[in-house]
Amino acid sequence: MAHARNNDVQRLHVDRRLHKLGRTYRHSFPKFSHPECIGFFSMNSQQEFEDNSSGASYLWMPPKESFPLDLKAGYEQVIRKIEKTGTDDLANLLKYIYNHQQLLTPTESKSLALRADFVACRGVLRLLMCMPYETRDDFCVRATRLNGTIYIAKTQTDQQREENVSMTEHSAAMCSWGFKFEQYMSSPAPNTPPDTSLPVNEAVEFNAMFRCSLQGMRLLYGAEMDGIVSNNPVNFNDPEALRKLQFVEFKTGAFESEARQQRSFNFCKSRTWWSQSFLVGIKTIMVGLRDGDGICHDIVQHDVAELARNKPWSPTAMVKFLEQFLKELKKLLEAINDPQTVVELEFLPHSDSVYYRVLTSPEDQIIPEWYRTLMKGGA
């Protein structure tokens, strides 16, 4: 495959519109192994990486007498997280790899190789899966290949930057309602009610590391996890316990949905929920049904497998697009064959194509120097 000179825009050979909403997609589901949880890390209240399970929490079902739940409670005391870049998110995965060098294998040249073909955050993979149906929003990632592994990080676009700046107070409040719902639904210890009088700290996270195989391509990715389903404390240092972990996702939705909202759910939100959960093997999503004033009146369970049934979108097409994209990206970066080169790939609104350009400046890099030093066998 021919690749672009620096800043020349080229087209990646993938069929972005491989499926039209509502049509039948007659292809077999790509070979995708069950995601295996192999590790974890936390982000503390200052948004600092910690190589431990301090951010983990367990599912707690609020008793019926506690309803309705006020998702606005303590809103003035909320501790918001500082918006980080996609490169920052990738760096956390690299810190995990640095701390767990059993994932690395020495090569004949004494450098180190990671036993994975791709490293990314779950959110990047989810967005890629949704790209066949995205027509309004743009999306951009950067990728580079080091010692045989391709690293991918999300890059903020001008459109996303403008949306963040112009976010209304009501939109920001609705985001906080989701975090408050998580506080009602989770506890640091099993079978223990949470203290919902505490201010919500939106920075605290528990991230799990997963590996799986997509059509023979080895994926390693991290994902922020909402809750663990267990009546007993988990021994996070037991690999078998990690593999058997059952996670749950928390969402909020409209208490009384109108026809327009139901259509939006069927066409858009359901595929986002499904892809997010599918990538980490989640079977159940707990949804708090709230009104427009931030009052949660009920909780319903969504079965993730059911989410994908009888929808205009095709789960097979979504995973197929992810497979095609990663294969073509791999071909491209193998042809470039330069660990200092970054490829920026852009999905534009209303476009049927994926465009890329080659970047070589130091400020365009997505892998920090300390990680490069490690992979040279120097740490």
Side-chain angles (χ1 to χ4, degrees), residues 140-247:
C140 185
V141 296
R142 287 183 178 179
T144 194
R145 182 172 176 267
L146 176 65
N147 296 6
T149 298
I150 294 169
Y151 299 82
I152 309 175
K154 182 183 174 184
T155 299
Q156 192 176 52
T157 66
D158 291 339
Q159 177 187 344
Q160 291 161 353
R161 201 172 290 111
E162 288 168 11
E163 287 174 355
N164 289 339
V165 170
S166 60
M167 179 182 283
T168 64
E169 181 61 30
H170 183 66
S171 295
M174 288 180 69
C175 290
S176 290
W177 295 352
F179 283 104
K180 187 65 181 181
F181 180 65
E182 288 182 24
Q183 188 188 52
Y184 281 115
M185 295 293 295
S186 57
S187 173
N191 304 312
T192 306
D195 185 352
T196 57
S197 68
L198 294 172
V200 174
N201 190 322
E202 298 177 358
V204 175
E205 298 177 8
F206 176 73
N207 289 264
M209 294 293 295
F210 292 89
R211 66 182 174 197
C212 73
S213 173
L214 171 58
Q215 288 293 124
M217 295 180 289
R218 300 166 300 168
L219 312 185
L220 177 66
Y221 48 98
E224 181 184 352
M225 310 305 290
D226 289 345
I228 295 165
V229 183
S230 178
N231 290 320
N232 302 300
V234 171
N235 178 4
F236 290 97
N237 294 317
D238 178 2
E240 188 61 25
L242 277 186
R243 279 193 287 272
K244 291 180 178 178
L245 273 183
Q246 184 182 346
F247 294 103

Side-chain angles (χ1 to χ4, degrees), residues 122-132 139 154 275 321:
R122 183 262 309 264
V124 169
L125 301 178
R126 178 193 70 76
L127 285 163
L128 287 169
M129 289 170 67
C130 291
M131 278 303 111
F139 175 52
K154 182 183 174 184
S275 54
F321 178 78

Side-chain angles (χ1 to χ4, degrees), residues 9-23:
V9 176
Q10 297 271 2
R11 185 181 296 176
L12 194 70
H13 297 295
V14 292
D15 181 9
R16 184 175 170 188
R17 307 299 181 197
L18 75 174
H19 177 239
K20 285 187 170 62
L21 285 167
R23 302 275 183 89

Side-chain angles (χ1 to χ4, degrees), residues 160-375:
Q160 291 161 353
R161 201 172 290 111
E162 288 168 11
E163 287 174 355
N164 289 339
V165 170
S166 60
M167 179 182 283
T168 64
E169 181 61 30
H170 183 66
S171 295
M174 288 180 69
C175 290
S176 290
W177 295 352
F179 283 104
K180 187 65 181 181
F181 180 65
E182 288 182 24
Q183 188 188 52
Y184 281 115
M185 295 293 295
S186 57
S187 173
N191 304 312
T192 306
D195 185 352
T196 57
S197 68
L198 294 172
V200 174
N201 190 322
E202 298 177 358
V204 175
E205 298 177 8
F206 176 73
N207 289 264
M209 294 293 295
F210 292 89
R211 66 182 174 197
C212 73
S213 173
L214 171 58
Q215 288 293 124
M217 295 180 289
R218 300 166 300 168
L219 312 185
L220 177 66
Y221 48 98
E224 181 184 352
M225 310 305 290
D226 289 345
I228 295 165
V229 183
S230 178
N231 290 320
N232 302 300
V234 171
N235 178 4
F236 290 97
N237 294 317
D238 178 2
E240 188 61 25
L242 277 186
R243 279 193 287 272
K244 291 180 178 178
L245 273 183
Q246 184 182 346
F247 294 103
V248 64
E249 184 78 19
F250 303 134
K251 300 288 187 186
T252 61
F255 179 55
E256 294 178 340
S257 59
E258 303 168 356
R260 176 181 57 81
Q261 290 171 313
Q262 188 57 46
R263 176 179 168 82
S264 175
F265 180 83
N266 288 337
F267 276 78
C268 186
K269 188 178 286 187
S270 57
R271 73 170 185 257
T272 298
W273 288 9
W274 176 82
S275 54
Q276 185 179 37
S277 295
F278 169 79
L279 285 166
V280 293
I282 285 177
K283 297 178 180 178
T284 304
I285 300 174
M286 310 297 292
V287 183
L289 301 180
R290 52 151 184 81
D291 60 28
D293 294 320
I295 303 298
C296 175
H297 297 273
D298 198 6
I299 295 170
V300 296
Q301 295 188 29
H302 277 274
D303 179 87
V304 172
E306 285 294 326
L307 271 180
R309 295 200 174 102
N310 302 316
K311 294 294 189 300
W313 50 270
S314 161
T316 301
M318 292 171 70
V319 179
K320 187 67 178 176
F321 178 78
L322 179 63
E323 175 206 341
Q324 290 180 357
F325 177 85
L326 294 179
K327 278 185 175 177
E328 288 302 315
L329 179 59
K330 191 168 185 281
K331 282 183 194 175
L332 174 62
L333 285 168
E334 285 176 349
I336 292 172
N337 194 27
D338 179 3
Q340 298 294 334
T341 292
V342 173
V343 172
E344 185 174 80
L345 304 110
E346 192 166 19
F347 297 78
L348 298 172
H350 309 294
S351 172
D352 294 346
S353 302
V354 181
Y355 297 97
Y356 73 88
R357 59 193 182 113
V358 175
L359 308 173
T360 55
S361 300
E363 61 267 21
D364 296 323
Q365 300 299 316
I366 62 172
I367 294 180
E369 279 306 311
W370 58 261
Y371 187 78
R372 292 184 182 275
T373 301
L374 166 70
M375 299 305 283

